[in-house]
Amino acid sequence: MRKGDFVFTSESVSEGHPDKVCDRISDAVVDSFLAADPYSRVACETLVTTNRIVIAGEVRGPRSLVDKSGQVKKEKIESIARQATKAIGYEQKGFHWKKAKVSIYLHGQSADIARGVDAAGNKDEGAGDQGIMFGYASNETPELMPAPIQYAHNILRLLSEARHSGKEKRLGPDAKSQVTLQYVDGKPVRATAIVVSTQHSDKVDQDEVREIVRPYVRKVLPDGWMCDEEHLYVNPTGRFVIGGPDGDAGLTGRKIIVDTYGGAAPHGGGAFSGKDPTKVDRSAAYAARYLAKNVVAAGLAERCTIQLAYAIGVSHPLSVYVDTQGTGQVDEDKLSKVLQELVNLSPRGIREHLKLNRPIYLRTSAYGHFGRTPEADGGFSWEKTDLVKDLKSAFA
């Protein structure tokens, strides 16, 4: 985000959005493998459409999920997919957790990929793929996230909680939000427009949906930030009864900007969901966020972008780039070196430091992978700020 005066918009989508249904199923598969064997390998993609779920990819894992010949136990995967869909709340004619047809095309991991990733002899474990990953943090919010994406997530999360609790029974699982904020001298000061589209019962009209949604928007925004009524857009098409996979097909990994920083920072292009933590698309993006967040939390910069680059089969990053966007209090080259001294940025080093070989991923599949609260079982470990003391000491 630049300094100066401007408006900026970010969007979020709910757990019932077709793409997020796919992310949830794929991450449920990852969690099931890691729960049985922390060193499982999973690359799982899901497609959903009207009453159909298709799961494909490659895996290597425990006998509870893969038989001796390497064949996936399809009935187990089908059960995982149905339960993930049920938890979202899909019991609609066009997409029902119990009635949808589930097709599974998971197979054993490529031997060539395994050779590059596995540790052997003097060779450390390598990256599961080449690629560049970005992490970002900003002091715009207490979560050290860009404000537009954080508020967009929070609006949908509150609506989801109200739906699941039974308070808002008239709402359906599928929803999207969009938050436009005005910035003055690089700082957000108010909302200029809010868009919320939410699936609803055919027994309510647009005005009723608007009255349902408005209090949740007001609750999320800081006092005095609410846009005027003219620029609060709720279901602007006028009707949103048919939703979810019955209304539009979904795929794993299509919401990478929603998953990260809402467009406020660069993105390397790799999706997260459905991948075990040997895949640096996931683990290195988490590490980059972890480092950037600690830099901002330590007061070394107001904003921080970190890029990590990897080659398949190579253990250490090819580059570690730090950009504090003119807000830094310390030399960026030295900061890069200090961060690499504090955290081993090899795939193994990241997994061990952040303890990623655990079934903690289903919960990341909606409302962002970042800006969340670290959890007691290790979920969202990359949101901890436990490097602050060491960073301050290094630049005392």
Side-chain angles (χ1 to χ4, degrees):
M1 294 284 232
R2 61 182 173 85
K3 289 190 175 182
D5 300 347
F6 55 93
V7 294
F8 192 85
T9 303
S10 295
E11 72 159 347
S12 180
V13 297
S14 73
E15 80 264 30
H17 184 280
D19 295 331
K20 282 293 155 194
V21 174
C22 294
D23 286 347
R24 187 184 188 101
I25 292 170
S26 293
D27 276 336
V29 172
V30 172
D31 277 0
S32 296
F33 272 80
L34 292 177
D37 178 359
Y39 299 98
S40 295
R41 299 288 168 79
V42 183
C44 176
E45 311 289 346
T46 304
L47 175 150
V48 294
T49 186
T50 303
N51 270 332
R52 180 174 286 272
I53 300 170
V54 181
I55 303 172
E58 57 175 38
V59 297
R60 191 173 81 196
R63 289 288 174 258
S64 59
L65 293 165
V66 181
D67 65 25
K68 292 181 179 180
S69 66
Q71 296 299 308
V72 171
K73 296 181 179 179
K74 293 185 177 182
E75 71 281 359
K76 296 286 185 70
I77 304 300
E78 178 177 336
S79 176
I80 292 166
R82 292 194 187 281
Q83 290 305 309
T85 306
K86 180 181 181 182
I88 296 170
Y90 272 114
E91 296 184 342
Q92 301 170 6
K93 181 179 179 181
F95 194 72
H96 196 294
W97 68 271
K98 187 182 291 185
K99 299 175 183 177
K101 180 178 180 181
V102 180
S103 301
I104 298 165
Y105 301 96
L106 291 171
H107 58 80
Q109 185 184 47
S110 160
D112 289 344
I113 292 177
R115 181 180 181 182
V117 176
D118 291 348
N122 294 325
K123 174 186 172 298
D124 194 6
E125 183 179 298
D129 201 352
Q130 73 173 50
I132 54 175
M133 297 82 207
F134 287 92
Y136 180 74
S138 167
N139 64 359
E140 292 179 15
T141 63
E143 299 86 359
L144 302 185
M145 285 287 287
I149 187 66
Q150 193 67 27
Y151 297 146
H153 286 324
N154 290 349
I155 290 168
L156 292 187
R157 189 183 292 113
L158 286 184
L159 287 171
S160 173
E161 290 171 357
R163 177 176 64 85
H164 282 294
S165 71
K167 181 179 179 180
E168 303 294 356
K169 295 180 180 179
R170 296 169 292 178
L171 299 184
D174 194 0
K176 301 179 77 171
S177 66
Q178 189 169 281
V179 173
T180 300
L181 298 183
Q182 180 181 2
Y183 283 72
V184 175
D185 195 23
K187 302 291 185 182
V189 296
R190 70 182 185 93
T192 60
I194 304 289
V195 183
V196 179
S197 296
T198 178
Q199 188 181 12
H200 58 85
S201 163
D202 61 3
K203 295 180 175 60
V204 296
D205 61 27
Q206 186 177 13
D207 290 339
E208 290 176 290
V209 176
R210 187 182 185 88
E211 292 305 311
I212 292 170
V213 167
R214 187 190 293 106
Y216 295 97
V217 176
R218 288 189 176 278
K219 185 174 182 178
V220 165
L221 295 176
D223 289 343
W225 279 41
M226 185 67 178
C227 63
D228 58 49
E229 194 69 15
E230 181 183 358
H231 292 97
L232 172 62
Y233 302 95
V234 177
N235 285 9
T237 65
R239 179 179 170 87
F240 190 1
V241 174
I242 299 172
D246 188 30
D248 193 10
L251 291 169
T252 299
R254 281 206 301 198
K255 288 294 178 283
I256 58 177
I257 300 303
V258 170
D259 285 344
T260 53
Y261 308 102
H267 197 294
F272 303 155
S273 290
K275 298 175 182 177
D276 74 75
T278 66
K279 279 72 171 176
V280 285
D281 278 344
R282 179 164 227 160
S283 57
Y286 291 170
R289 160 65 178 174
Y290 173 63
L291 297 178
K293 184 176 183 180
N294 275 271
V295 167
V296 175
L300 303 184
E302 294 179 13
R303 296 188 297 275
C304 182
T305 300
I306 292 179
Q307 183 205 62
L308 305 177
Y310 292 85
I312 188 168
V314 178
S315 60
H316 287 279
L318 308 183
S319 65
V320 179
Y321 168 77
V322 178
D323 179 10
T324 54
Q325 301 173 20
T327 70
Q329 304 298 312
V330 299
D331 179 76
E332 291 171 343
D333 289 338
K334 181 179 178 182
L335 180 55
S336 174
K337 293 175 182 176
V338 168
L339 291 171
Q340 292 176 74
E341 291 169 359
L342 292 177
V343 179
N344 176 356
L345 293 173
S346 70
R348 183 201 299 275
I350 292 170
R351 289 202 332 277
E352 291 178 351
H353 188 97
L354 297 177
K355 297 179 173 59
L356 298 180
N357 285 96
R358 293 185 280 191
I360 55 175
Y361 298 107
L362 185 149
R363 69 195 77 171
T364 70
S365 62
Y367 311 115
H369 292 245
F370 309 126
R372 310 287 287 272
T373 302
E375 297 176 347
D377 66 350
F380 302 104
S381 60
W382 49 92
E383 290 296 309
K384 295 189 295 184
T385 53
D386 53 353
L387 298 181
V388 166
K389 182 178 179 180
D390 289 336
L391 283 169
K392 288 183 175 180
S393 177
F395 291 96

